[in-house]
Amino acid sequence: MTKTSILKIRLDDQGHLILPNELMDQYGLFDGAEVRLSEDSLGFGLSQSTHSLARIYLEPTNLCNLDCRTCMRHGWEEPLGRMDAATFSRILGGVAALPVVPELFFGGFGEPLSHPDILEMVAAAKHAVPRVELITNGILLTPEISAALIQLGLDRLWVSIDGATPESYADVRLGSELPRVISNLEALRSLKYQAASSDPRNGPGQARPRLGIAFVAMKRNLKDLPQVIDLGKRLGADTFSISNVLAHTPEMLEEALYQGVSSDTGVATEWSPRLLFPRMEFAGEIGRILAESSKKGGSLAIARQDMNFGANRCPFVEKASMSVRWDGAVSPCLALLHDHENHLGVRRRRSLAYSMGNVNQLPLREIWFSEAYLALRERILSFDFSFCTACNSCDLADSNQEDCFGNVAPTCGGCLWAQGLIQCP
């Protein structure tokens, strides 16, 4: 849910707006920092600044116990490995040197719980940063692991569930493991509420870790989404993150739900016609007519909320995040952690990894505040890239190395995260 606060306007002697210090710190609003100013019919909003580091996506390993149809491994030839203790220690040491301590998210493109030292890593992270989250496929989430995560104070656990029945889950995850995942989550729910009730300061609403469900939506499993939401609610989930599939294979391109959307969302400008819809039932014939009508305009708003808000915006830069690969390489986003291929329409696009440095060679603070990294964040924030997702008609769209606007690597005009089509928790 979007957080809304009412502030009483305060101005200094020169007529400048005064914001509360906690907001200034939280969003990195330092002198000279760049932010994105967004305006709509309701007012304006500011993004995180290019100076603040609010979140670190940390990849403990890119090894996994599953071989899902949707996995990036079907579009790469990357070395596999686990983060060692020295690399992890350098990350936590670097966090302590930052002006504002960021939160940490254990994720990336592997199964974090398959790392043999993951509990020790979570424990150390909880002592170093204000908030820790972790994503898992849930198969290795045994009651013993759940009890340990509860005791360590993990703030949020994300579990990937792409089907509501063993058959549909196995169709995507390539294994009949849904009953085990459900059993593990039932144990988690029971254990965390027992722990919360034993502390008189806590109630059920404060039980940790909070549970989120991540769902990759495709033609083959979209019908399961209502049941997945019901299942998640029964298991105590309070947040559901639904993403489209990133098509690493021709088979997955056939499953994509955004083929008729990507060209529309990438080109809306201030000169595009606007369609202002009220809230209404988007189902059946009504939904079909509204969907067809929405394609007549470049900008769509429903109940005064801009539906093109996520286009041409990098969610990783705007969340003021960095991503750290298992070997210590620092990238601006999860999409640039590894070389990989995916389909952009009928064309195959190769995205090469991009690193700003390695924590084993440079301190984290030095990497984050380097001139090159700051310039890249500012370039991505302005998002002056060619519209590869809309045009996709020349060889430049086949990689992230250059584009027709004269940008050099990394070019983000073909990134589906930046068009709001792919999203991570």
Side-chain angles (χ1 to χ4, degrees):
M1 181 180 294
T2 301
K3 183 178 179 181
T4 301
S5 301
I6 304 298
L7 298 176
K8 187 179 290 292
I9 292 294
R10 293 179 57 227
L11 304 176
D12 64 16
D13 294 339
Q14 287 76 42
H16 298 149
L17 177 65
I18 301 174
L19 292 176
N21 289 334
E22 58 269 22
L23 281 182
M24 300 283 284
D25 291 340
Q26 181 179 349
Y27 294 101
L29 303 179
F30 308 122
D31 184 39
E34 289 199 10
V35 298
R36 180 196 282 262
L37 173 66
S38 303
E39 299 180 69
D40 59 27
S41 59
L42 297 180
F44 69 90
L46 299 177
S47 70
Q48 288 270 4
S49 84
T50 53
H51 279 60
S52 65
L53 176 58
R55 166 176 279 205
I56 296 176
Y57 287 95
L58 188 149
E59 182 181 73
T61 178
N62 61 354
L63 293 159
C64 189
N65 56 326
L66 290 178
D67 184 25
C68 305
R69 297 180 189 276
T70 57
C71 187
M72 188 181 281
R73 286 172 188 76
H74 296 291
W76 80 11
E77 295 180 3
E78 287 274 277
L80 303 177
R82 298 185 179 94
M83 182 172 289
D84 60 35
T87 301
F88 183 64
S89 178
R90 289 188 179 96
I91 294 169
L92 293 190
V95 162
L98 293 168
V100 179
V101 179
E103 64 184 32
L104 195 148
F105 187 105
F106 287 100
F109 295 98
E111 169 52 53
L113 293 185
S114 70
H115 195 295
D117 301 324
I118 189 62
L119 293 180
E120 290 81 0
M121 296 169 81
V122 171
K126 280 297 297 181
H127 282 96
V129 304
R131 181 176 175 83
V132 178
E133 300 187 17
L134 182 147
I135 189 167
T136 175
N137 57 43
I139 294 173
L140 301 178
L141 186 70
T142 62
E144 292 76 20
I145 295 293
S146 288
L149 293 175
I150 293 167
Q151 183 177 16
L152 293 173
L154 182 70
D155 294 282
R156 180 173 289 279
L157 181 72
W158 290 91
V159 179
S160 298
I161 298 180
D162 296 328
T165 66
E167 294 75 22
S168 59
Y169 178 91
D171 187 40
V172 177
R173 295 282 167 183
L174 305 184
S176 302
E177 300 285 1
L178 183 61
R180 185 195 300 191
V181 173
I182 293 175
S183 176
N184 289 342
L185 290 177
E186 288 174 337
L188 171 71
R189 179 190 57 190
S190 177
L191 288 166
K192 73 177 183 179
Y193 287 148
Q194 288 176 25
S197 62
S198 65
D199 187 337
R201 297 170 298 177
N202 294 331
Q206 287 77 47
R208 295 289 190 276
R210 296 287 182 88
L211 177 63
I213 301 296
F215 181 91
V216 177
M218 297 172 282
K219 292 176 183 177
R220 69 171 64 211
N221 71 345
L222 185 62
K223 66 181 184 303
D224 277 16
L225 180 56
Q227 295 117 294
V228 168
I229 294 174
D230 285 340
L231 173 63
K233 288 167 62 178
R234 179 172 66 81
L235 294 169
D238 62 2
T239 306
F240 295 81
S241 177
I242 297 97
S243 176
N244 284 296
V245 65
L246 186 64
H248 300 292
T249 64
E251 177 194 14
M252 287 296 99
L253 183 63
E254 293 298 316
E255 293 289 335
L257 300 172
Y258 52 81
Q259 291 298 87
V261 177
S262 58
S263 61
D264 298 321
T265 59
V267 296
T269 71
E270 59 184 299
W271 298 283
S272 302
R274 300 197 71 212
L275 300 176
L276 308 177
F277 283 106
R279 292 180 64 195
M280 62 177 65
E281 182 180 1
F282 281 71
E285 183 67 6
I286 300 173
R288 187 193 66 77
I289 294 172
L290 291 174
E292 182 179 347
S293 300
S294 70
K295 293 182 180 180
K296 306 296 183 181
S299 180
L300 170 66
I302 299 175
R304 303 182 303 281
Q305 300 299 316
D306 190 354
M307 296 296 104
N308 294 91
F309 185 79
N312 297 330
R313 304 168 70 106
C314 173
F316 298 102
V317 168
E318 295 208 350
K319 283 193 291 190
S321 72
M322 71 160 51
S323 299
V324 185
R325 201 167 60 191
W326 65 269
D327 61 359
V330 174
S331 293
C333 63
L334 288 174
L336 294 174
L337 274 183
H338 299 278
D339 293 352
H340 65 277
E341 294 184 351
N342 65 274
H343 286 272
L344 185 61
V346 296
R347 305 181 73 98
R348 192 162 182 84
R349 178 178 172 86
R350 181 164 177 78
S351 178
L352 299 183
Y354 193 85
S355 174
M356 303 307 305
N358 193 298
V359 297
N360 291 305
Q361 292 146 13
L362 292 170
L364 190 79
R365 180 189 174 102
E366 186 174 332
I367 295 173
W368 177 254
F369 285 109
S370 68
E371 290 185 10
Y373 199 173
L374 181 60
L376 177 61
R377 295 198 297 273
E378 292 176 351
R379 178 157 66 100
I380 295 175
L381 196 66
S382 65
F383 212 84
D384 188 22
F385 299 102
S386 58
F387 302 115
C388 293
T389 52
C391 177
N392 197 24
S393 60
C394 73
D395 292 346
L396 293 179
D398 293 345
S399 77
N400 64 341
Q401 296 304 287
E402 59 178 320
D403 67 21
C404 59
F405 284 13
N407 292 297
V408 296
T411 56
C412 304
C415 175
L416 299 186
W417 277 270
Q419 298 307 323
L421 301 174
I422 310 296
Q423 63 179 8
C424 300

